[in-house]
Amino acid sequence: MSAMRRVVESSWLFPCKNSRTSVSRFFKTSSICRNVMPAWVIDKYGGNDVLRFSKNASFPIIHYPNEVIVKVFAAGLNPIDVSMRGGHGAATLSMKRDPLNIHQTGSEFPLILGRDVSGVIMECGLDVKYFQERDEVWAAIPPWKRGSLAEFVVLSANEVSLKPKTLSHTEAAAIPYVATTAWSALVNTGGLTRDNCAKKRILILGGSGGVGTFAIQMLKAWGAHVTVTCSQNAQRFVTGLGTDHVVDYTAGPVEVALAALDKFDLILDNIGGSTESWALNLLKPWSGAKYVTLVTPFLQNTDSLGVADGMLQNAATVARKALKYLVKGVHYRWGFFAPSGPALDEIREMVDAGQIHAVVDETFSFAQVPQAFAKVEKGHARGKTVVQINKGADDV
Ligand SMILES: NC(=O)c1ccc[n+]([C@@H]2O[C@H](COP(=O)([O-])OP(=O)(O)OC[C@H]3O[C@@H](n4cnc5c(N)ncnc54)[C@H](OP(=O)(O)O)[C@@H]3O)[C@@H](O)[C@H]2O)c1
């Protein structure tokens, strides 16, 4: 580690980011003499048939001094990749995209998906002190940035963290997006910490997928009592990750089985739909107990109503529901993915201490990206789907 991590938002330092020439004085002469790279891209939104392998995707450029170029060894897939392929969030994410990364046509296409990366730093911007070339790193890539289904990706150093030494790149790529989402939901929104979890009763609705399998392990490492809902054939799997109590949601009305248990301090909802009509009744009232759902209409609202009206609608919905449940003595919250190198630093320590294991459901080669999408799209995940991009993905 070459220096203390300094969290810098490069665009604050260089607000003139809208013109290529205005920032060119901050470029460093690249040691990588390439203009193109192999990548899986989409040129329009749709089903799996829009995925196209390109040998000539444009090579990433360091536009800001706090950025790094990472050679991708392995890329994890998430449900958001499938929904982004179909156009979900397109209007909202386009607003957030850096104009320097929009193609000359003014379009986001060709778009590269893939939110998890494990790989090696090839080049650092001039302001990067914490990392150096050849560092092995992992990161969760925000959905408004070019993704990891490519040979290289450019990221802000704030989003990157040194990879756990005990994991191969394939294993490491199974963790960052679900881990930073669970961290944001449980720690930032839910108020849990390693020091206040002991004896807390936590319910995870949907424990067998990517977010659930990570959240179980993190909460168990912090001493919580963890109850999980999953289907019957995942019961042994989630118990093996440390779950204290499992409820099979396919065996009958899950809310009835859960209501027979002691009440909970926090519920993490990975399922959504009708769950919030009964889940908040399972919380301990007047004790600060929280329900945090990851399944929200946030992007749907901003996509359909536009960013301004959609945000108003989102704020109104959350406020109305929060108030409705506040008078019953429990807290209602929406949880979101938040990119965070510092959170991944803490998660790395838990991984290297043996408290958290990567849960890889299935691995695909770079040539099999459409099959990997089909697998994620089918649902019934038992952990994560990972694509091996470069040779060496299995090296620890
Ligand atoms: N808000 C955000 O920023 C954010 C970020 C990440 C993820 N998410 C969302 O969070 C959700 C979970 O993400 P993930 O990556 O963990 O998804 P995932 O890997 O696809 O896992 C979903 C899991 O839920 C299980 N399941 C399905 N229906 C269930 C039910 N009624 N009760 C209990 N378990 C059920 C599935 O297995 P079976 O079907 O075999 O039971 C599967 O194991 C997704 O909807 C995702 O879009 C939101």
Side-chain angles (χ1 to χ4, degrees):
M1 197 177 306
S2 33
M4 286 290 285
R5 181 189 281 279
R6 193 160 61 97
V7 177
V8 181
E9 187 58 63
S10 52
S11 56
W12 297 348
L13 295 176
F14 303 104
C16 53
K17 63 176 181 177
N18 288 344
S19 138
R20 261 170 205 278
T21 49
S22 63
V23 292
S24 59
R25 64 204 158 100
F26 301 116
F27 291 177
K28 188 174 113 176
T29 308
S30 177
S31 55
I32 310 171
C33 303
R34 287 177 65 172
N35 294 322
V36 294
M37 64 174 178
W40 281 89
V41 301
I42 61 170
D43 305 300
K44 61 179 178 183
Y45 297 116
N48 231 10
D49 52 336
V50 299
L51 289 164
R52 173 174 69 84
F53 182 72
S54 167
K55 286 183 182 162
N56 300 313
S58 60
F59 199 87
I61 295 170
I62 289 181
H63 283 125
Y64 303 106
N66 189 38
E67 289 182 326
V68 296
I69 292 178
V70 175
K71 179 170 182 169
V72 183
F73 279 65
L77 285 190
N78 291 273
I80 193 175
D81 292 305
V82 173
S83 48
M84 280 178 68
R85 188 202 63 200
H88 177 71
T92 315
L93 295 174
S94 287
M95 299 273 302
K96 196 72 180 111
R97 284 196 175 96
D98 189 327
L100 288 169
N101 283 316
I102 298 280
H103 301 275
Q104 279 169 351
T105 57
S107 151
E108 69 268 40
F109 300 121
L111 187 65
I112 302 174
L113 300 169
R115 306 272 60 93
D116 285 305
V117 55
S118 183
V120 174
I121 292 191
M122 301 300 289
E123 185 163 356
C124 294
L126 289 172
D127 204 24
V128 174
K129 303 284 187 292
Y130 186 75
F131 299 105
Q132 57 195 9
E133 286 165 22
R134 290 191 288 279
D135 277 348
E136 293 194 290
V137 292
W138 62 344
I141 306 172
W144 52 90
K145 292 195 171 179
R146 276 171 33 133
S148 54
L149 290 172
E151 211 176 315
F152 296 88
V153 65
V154 65
L155 291 167
S156 156
N158 304 339
E159 294 152 359
V160 173
S161 163
L162 294 172
K163 164 185 148 316
K165 287 190 172 28
T166 52
L167 297 187
S168 67
H169 287 287
T170 302
E171 292 166 327
I175 292 181
Y177 190 78
V178 292
T180 45
T181 299
W183 187 277
S184 158
L186 295 170
V187 178
N188 304 345
T189 308
L192 299 181
T193 67
R194 69 177 72 240
D195 301 321
N196 72 6
C197 263
K199 301 207 181 91
K200 280 212 164 82
R201 285 179 53 76
I202 316 290
L203 170 62
I204 301 173
L205 297 173
S208 52
V211 176
T213 51
F214 177 83
I216 293 167
Q217 297 185 81
M218 186 177 104
L219 293 168
K220 285 312 299 171
W222 287 356
H225 181 281
V226 178
T227 300
V228 152
T229 65
C230 65
S231 52
Q232 198 267 333
N233 70 6
Q235 287 193 353
R236 270 180 65 166
F237 169 65
V238 297
T239 304
L241 296 171
T243 303
D244 297 288
H245 190 84
V246 183
V247 176
D248 172 11
Y249 79 91
T250 62
V254 70
E255 63 275 28
V256 176
L258 290 168
L261 305 176
D262 289 346
K263 291 204 184 298
F264 296 94
D265 296 287
L266 187 138
I267 298 174
L268 176 65
D269 189 350
N270 299 323
I271 302 302
S274 63
T275 49
E276 64 179 57
S277 65
W278 47 261
L280 286 101
N281 299 328
L282 305 172
L283 291 171
K284 294 176 187 168
W286 309 113
S287 65
K290 293 189 183 75
Y291 164 87
V292 183
T293 181
L294 288 175
V295 186
T296 78
F298 185 92
L299 286 176
Q300 199 181 313
N301 284 341
T302 48
D303 269 2
S304 61
L305 301 172
V307 171
D309 287 352
M311 290 301 280
L312 274 176
Q313 172 82 3
N314 285 328
T317 305
V318 176
R320 181 173 48 77
K321 292 189 180 187
L323 202 59
K324 173 181 163 187
Y325 291 108
L326 201 56
V327 296
K328 296 180 181 174
V330 294
H331 298 273
Y332 173 95
R333 300 275 187 274
W334 285 358
F336 295 102
F337 158 75
S340 172
L344 285 174
D345 288 346
E346 294 201 42
I347 291 158
R348 175 186 64 239
E349 286 174 18
M350 296 173 80
V351 170
D352 281 340
Q355 295 174 316
I356 290 178
H357 301 277
V359 186
V360 179
D361 188 357
E362 196 166 348
T363 304
F364 294 84
S365 70
F366 198 21
Q368 294 174 313
V369 164
Q371 288 95 311
F373 269 80
K375 152 84 181 141
V376 175
E377 198 161 11
K378 254 192 260 161
H380 309 301
R382 300 290 177 259
K384 300 288 307 168
T385 296
V386 178
V387 178
Q388 294 175 323
I389 309 281
N390 273 297
K391 283 200 177 72
D394 273 335
D395 296 345
V396 179

